[in-house]
Amino acid sequence: MKHQNKSALRRAIFASGLAACALAAPARPWSDPGRSPDARARTLVRQLTDAEKFQLIHSLFGEPDAAHKWSMPAGAIGSAGYVPGIPRLGIPAQQQSDAGLGVANPINVRPGDVATALPSGLATAASWDPKIAFAGGAMIGGEAWHKGFNVLLAGGVDLQRDPRNGRNFEYAGEDPLLAGTLVGETVRGIQSQHVLSTVKHYALNDQETARTTIDVRIGERAMRESDLLAFELAIARGRPGSVMCSYNKVNGDWACENDFLLNQVLKKDWRYPGFVMSDWGATHSAAKAANAGLDQESAAEVFDKEVYFDAPLKQALAHGEVSHARLDDMVTRILRSMFAVGLFDHPPQKGPVDVNANLAVAQHALEAGAVLLRNERTLLPLASDLHSIAVIGAHADKGVLAGGGSSMVIPRGGNAVTGLEPATWPGPVTYDPSSPLKAIRAAAGHARVEFASGDDPAAAAALARQAQVAVVFVQQWAAESFDAADLTLPDKQDALVAAVAKANPRTVVVLETNSPVAMPWLDRVGAVLEAWYPGNAGGQAIANLLFGRVNPSGRLPITWPRDLSQLPRPQLPGAVAAPGTPPPATADYAIEGADVGYRWFQRQPLQPLFPFGFGLSYTSFAQGAPQVAVHGGLPRVSVEVRNTGSRAGADVVQIYAQLPGNPIRRLAGFAKVTLAPGQTRTVEVPLEPRLLSEFDMAKRRWIIRGGSYAIYAGRSATDLSAAVRVQLPAQTL
C-alpha cells in the first residue's frame, strides 16, 4: 500500500511537471530568441492571413503630403516609410527613416526632430578605416533607435563613375573594395543597434540625370567586377536586412523588376536571405516585379502610378501569374530580416542620447577623412604664434555646408544659414551650425582673426593683404535629383580665391564640396584641404586639422581629374538641358566597363590632378618593399612602415595586384596604421580573393586563373613599389 502511494505520488509529480512545462512553453514559438531567424520566420508566416501578408509587402509614406492629399498614417512617427504592425501576432511596425549620413527628416520637421549629421560618405571612405565607418553607423543606429525608428535607408554604395553626380557625397568612392568594405562596416554598425539597414541603390544608379528613365548599358562581366562587386562585398560584410533597388533600368529592365539583378545575382549567386525593397517611385509592375524578386513596394500611394502590390498583385495571384509560394517567400524574407536584426526582441525605446559622444563621432570621422591635397613650404599646420588670420567665404562665420535631398539631416542647433535657394526639394540648403571661424578663433589664442563674406573679392583681398595667413572657404552645393553641369565652383568663387592668393601667397583653401572640382588657382595657393561636407562638428574638426592638433590622414577615395576631357563621358547629356530638351535614353557604361576611376586613368593612360589614394600628412613615412608569401593558394602581404618625421600620424598601406595578361593594377587590400615619430611597425594586409580573380561567365563563379601575379605596395594608385612576382595556383572561389 505504501509502495502504491509512492508510485501514485511520483506519477502526480511527473504530470504536474509536464503541465508546468506546457505552461512555460511560449505560446508564440516564433518569439523564442533561441531559434534561428529562418525558423522563426517560417513558423510565423504560417499564422498570417493573406490580408496580413499583403500588409507587410508594401509600405505607406510616413509623412503627410499635401500635393497628393496624403495624411500621415495612424501609428507612423513621421518619416520615409511605415509598415503597420500586426499586434495579434506580435509583429512590430516598421518605422523607416532616410539615413545616409544621419537620421534624416527633411520634411514637416517637428520640435526635437534633429539629429547628429556625419560628414559626407566620401569623408568616411577617405578615412580608409573600417572602425570609423562602424562607429558612424553605430551612432546613427543608436540615435534612430532612441527616436523610435527601426529601419534605416542607409548604405549607399553606388560607385563614382562621374564627379558630377549629385549624390556622390552619399557614397563611398570609385573602388569596389574600398566602397564595399566601408559601407559594409557602416551597415554592420547600424544593425549592431538592432536597427535594420538597407544597402542601396541596387544597381548602377551612378548618375542623377534622368535617373527615373535612364537605361544603363554595360556587359555582365564588367558590372560583376565593378558596381556589383561593391554590393557583393558590402552585403557579405554588413549583412543588411534589406537591399533597395534603384530607379534606373539596367540593360533594358527596370532595376526593381530585373530578374538578373534580383533573382539570379542577389538571391541565387550571393544567397542573400533578406528582402528587396523598392526605392520611392521605382516600382512599375505587379507580377513582373514580384516574380523578378521585389519583396516590398515602397510608399506607392504617393510615389508610384498605383499600388502594384495590392489589387494588381492579388489579381495576378488569382490568375496564377504569381504563385502563393512566391508571396510567402516575400513575407518570409521580410520577417526573417526583422528577426535577424532584433526588431522583435529589441524594440526601440524613445529617449535621450549622449549628444556630446555622438558629436565626437562626427568630429572624429572628419578628422580621419579630410584630405590634405597641397602644403607648400609647410604652410600647414598654422603656427601657434600667428598674430593675424583672415577667414573668408562660404558662411564660415556660421557653419559648414551639407548636401541636399533625402539624406539631408536637420542638424542639432538647426540650419545655421536660412533663406537660401532652393528652399524646397531637394533643399532647403542647409549649414550645420559648427562655425569654422569660431573654432579658428579659439585655436588661434591671442591672434586677431577677422572674417569677410567673400561676396566682394576686392574687400576679401584687402583683408587678406593685412593678415599673415588667409584661410578661404569655398563650397559646392549638390543634392539628390540633379547633376552638376561641370567641375567649376559656382558663384565666381574661383575669382575670389585668385584675388586672395594674389594679395597673400600664404593662402589656405578649405574645400566643402560634393566631389572633385576644378582648381585653376591651385599653383598660386599655399595649401588645400578637402573637407567634403564636414558634418555637425565640422568647424571644430577643421580648426584642429589646420592648427595641427590632428594630423591629416585622409586619402582620396576617388581620382581627381584635371578636367572633363579625362572622363569616359566628357559630356553629360541632360545635366543642364534647356527646357523641353528630352533627357538621354541611355548611359553607356561599357566605355570604361569595370575599369572605373583610377583603372580608367591607367588604361588610357592619363595623369590625374590627384590620384586615387593620395593624401599628405604633417609627418613623413617610409614603406619597405612588400613581403609576399603564399598560403593555401592565396598571397599574404606584409609591409614595414616607419614614421620618419617629427609628428605622430597615420599612413595607409595600399596593396595593388596585377593579374596575368591584364595590364591594369587594382586595389586588393589596405590597412591604416598610426605611428609615433620614429616608430616602425610591420603591417599585414589581407587581400580580397575576388580582386585577384576574374568573373568566369561560363562557370558563373570567381576564378583565380593561376600564373604570375604582380603585387605592389604604396601610398596611392600612382606611388607604388617595384612589383613583387608571385605564382598562384588556379582555383575557383
Side-chain angles (χ1 to χ4, degrees):
M1 185 70 179
K2 290 179 181 179
H3 178 73
Q4 289 177 341
N5 289 341
K6 287 180 180 180
S7 297
L9 180 61
R10 282 196 294 268
R11 287 195 298 272
I13 292 171
F14 180 69
S16 65
L18 287 177
C21 288
L23 289 173
R28 296 170 171 173
W30 58 87
S31 299
D32 180 4
R35 304 180 74 194
S36 72
D38 299 274
R40 296 173 77 179
R42 287 193 299 267
T43 301
L44 178 53
V45 78
R46 291 194 289 267
Q47 307 300 315
L48 292 168
T49 67
D50 281 352
E52 289 168 337
K53 293 174 184 177
F54 272 86
Q55 181 174 315
L56 292 173
I57 63 172
H58 91 271
S59 67
L60 307 170
F61 188 41
E63 290 278 6
D65 188 286
H68 295 84
K69 299 180 180 179
W70 178 255
S71 301
M72 183 184 294
I77 60 176
S79 196
Y82 173 65
V83 181
I86 303 174
R88 79 174 186 89
L89 297 173
I91 300 176
Q94 290 184 38
Q95 303 280 1
Q96 303 174 346
S97 175
D98 288 301
L101 305 172
V103 185
N105 192 4
I107 306 172
N108 303 302
V109 177
R110 294 168 298 283
D113 283 345
V114 297
T116 306
L118 286 172
S120 72
L122 283 174
T124 295
S127 76
W128 290 64
D129 189 344
K131 296 189 294 296
I132 292 291
F134 181 89
M139 184 276 286
I140 294 174
E143 286 201 350
W145 194 84
H146 283 293
K147 285 175 170 287
F149 294 108
N150 56 8
V151 178
L152 292 185
L153 313 180
V157 73
D158 295 277
L159 294 186
Q160 181 168 315
R161 288 178 180 265
D162 196 307
R164 294 165 291 192
N165 180 0
R167 290 186 96 169
N168 281 335
F169 71 93
E170 295 186 43
Y171 302 141
E174 68 191 28
D175 180 76
L177 176 63
L178 180 63
T181 300
L182 274 292
V183 172
E185 283 299 297
T186 298
V187 169
R188 200 170 69 85
I190 290 170
Q191 296 194 158
S192 73
Q193 304 301 302
H194 306 298
V195 174
L196 188 152
S197 178
T198 66
V199 292
K200 63 181 187 180
H201 305 89
Y202 185 73
L204 291 133
N205 185 183
D206 297 341
Q207 68 179 59
E208 291 296 283
T209 298
R211 65 176 181 171
T212 60
T213 57
I214 198 84
D215 184 7
V216 173
R217 302 295 177 87
I218 186 172
E220 180 182 344
R221 180 178 164 187
M223 80 169 96
R224 292 269 196 172
E225 295 183 355
S226 57
D227 286 68
L228 294 191
L229 178 55
F231 276 97
E232 184 177 1
L233 294 169
I235 290 168
R237 193 168 189 124
R239 300 184 179 182
S242 182
V243 171
M244 181 190 291
C245 50
S246 56
Y247 287 119
N248 52 288
K249 293 179 180 179
V250 177
N251 294 329
D253 275 332
W254 297 110
C256 289
E257 55 183 44
N258 193 305
D259 181 79
F260 170 76
L261 288 178
L262 304 185
N263 281 335
Q264 184 171 309
V265 176
L266 180 65
K267 294 182 176 180
K268 181 181 177 182
D269 293 351
W270 299 348
R271 300 179 183 178
Y272 176 65
F275 69 100
V276 178
M277 72 164 69
S278 68
D279 205 341
W280 274 229
T283 306
H284 298 271
S285 64
K288 183 176 181 180
N291 288 330
L294 180 64
D295 300 303
Q296 187 180 79
E297 182 183 13
S298 302
E301 288 86 352
V302 173
F303 292 91
D304 291 336
K305 290 183 178 179
E306 60 180 308
V307 185
Y308 294 104
F309 279 15
D310 191 20
L313 185 56
K314 290 174 182 175
Q315 186 176 19
L317 280 165
H319 293 166
E321 298 170 22
V322 177
S323 70
H324 285 275
R326 171 64 188 127
L327 175 62
D328 284 353
D329 177 57
M330 296 159 74
V331 177
T332 301
R333 287 174 172 274
I334 293 167
L335 293 172
R336 190 260 178 208
S337 288
M338 294 173 70
F339 282 122
V341 178
L343 273 61
F344 281 81
D345 304 326
H346 304 277
Q349 301 293 323
K350 289 189 178 182
V353 299
D354 189 335
V355 173
N356 291 333
N358 290 355
L359 287 173
V361 170
Q363 178 177 322
H364 189 38
L366 182 61
E367 290 171 348
V371 182
L372 184 61
L373 296 174
R374 180 176 172 87
N375 193 21
E376 294 299 295
R377 299 182 181 88
T378 61
L379 175 56
L380 294 177
L382 297 177
S384 59
D385 58 354
L386 290 173
H387 58 75
S388 60
I389 302 171
V391 177
I392 298 164
H395 300 287
D397 57 328
K398 294 183 174 65
V400 290
L401 185 62
S406 61
S407 68
M408 191 264 289
V409 177
I410 303 300
R412 299 191 180 281
N415 188 354
V417 183
T418 58
L420 301 179
E421 294 294 333
T424 58
W425 175 264
V429 177
T430 297
Y431 284 76
D432 295 329
S434 180
S435 165
L437 175 64
K438 181 179 178 181
I440 288 170
R441 280 177 172 158
H446 297 294
R448 184 180 74 257
V449 181
E450 296 186 84
F451 177 74
S453 69
D455 296 337
D456 181 348
L463 180 66
R465 193 173 294 112
Q466 298 169 10
Q468 286 179 285
V469 173
V471 182
V472 184
F473 287 78
V474 295
Q475 59 189 358
Q476 171 210 36
W477 187 71
E480 177 180 356
S481 78
F482 73 92
D483 296 323
D486 52 38
L487 303 182
T488 304
L489 284 168
D491 303 321
K492 301 180 180 179
Q493 292 178 93
D494 287 330
L496 170 65
V497 176
V500 171
K502 183 177 181 180
N504 188 338
R506 289 170 57 82
T507 291
V508 179
V509 177
V510 178
L511 302 171
E512 297 177 16
T513 64
N514 167 55
S515 205
V517 293
M519 294 187 283
W521 34 260
L522 180 62
D523 292 340
R524 287 171 275 168
V525 302
V528 178
L529 179 70
E530 172 58 88
W532 316 104
Y533 293 149
N536 218 161
Q540 185 61 58
I542 290 169
N544 286 348
L545 290 158
L546 293 178
F547 282 89
R549 294 175 175 177
V550 173
N551 192 342
S553 63
R555 304 289 185 264
L556 287 177
I558 41 94
T559 301
W560 201 293
R562 292 183 180 275
D563 53 50
L564 293 175
S565 70
Q566 294 187 315
L567 302 180
R569 287 163 296 281
Q571 303 299 319
L572 185 57
V576 286
T581 302
T586 61
D588 185 6
Y589 290 170
I591 296 171
E592 73 275 32
D595 292 331
V596 180
Y598 67 93
R599 288 158 67 169
W600 164 260
F601 276 71
Q602 287 181 62
R603 199 171 92 184
Q604 286 313 102
L606 296 165
Q607 292 296 320
L609 187 61
F610 298 109
F612 173 82
F614 173 81
L616 301 174
S617 171
Y618 296 152
T619 190
S620 56
F621 299 93
Q623 293 186 6
Q627 304 297 309
V628 186
V630 178
H631 298 274
L634 295 174
R636 294 183 182 179
V637 181
S638 59
V639 178
E640 184 179 270
V641 186
R642 183 167 183 258
N643 184 341
T644 57
S646 59
R647 291 174 175 264
D651 196 18
V652 178
V653 179
Q654 303 168 37
I655 305 298
Y656 294 80
Q658 189 174 336
L659 280 57
N662 187 334
I664 305 300
R665 298 178 299 275
R666 55 178 73 168
L667 184 71
F670 61 91
K672 194 167 192 176
V673 56
T674 299
L675 299 172
Q679 184 180 7
T680 299
R681 184 180 302 170
T682 297
V683 181
E684 295 204 8
V685 184
L687 303 190
E688 168 52 52
R690 280 163 284 203
L691 272 305
L692 303 171
S693 309
E694 298 172 350
F695 190 82
D696 188 291
M697 295 294 295
K699 295 182 179 179
R700 311 202 69 78
R701 298 287 297 275
W702 290 99
I703 302 293
I704 294 179
R705 298 293 181 189
S708 177
Y709 285 67
I711 305 296
Y712 304 82
R715 305 189 64 239
S716 78
T718 61
D719 180 10
L720 298 173
S721 68
V724 175
R725 290 280 172 181
V726 60
Q727 289 287 327
L728 297 183
Q731 53 194 299
T732 300
L733 302 184

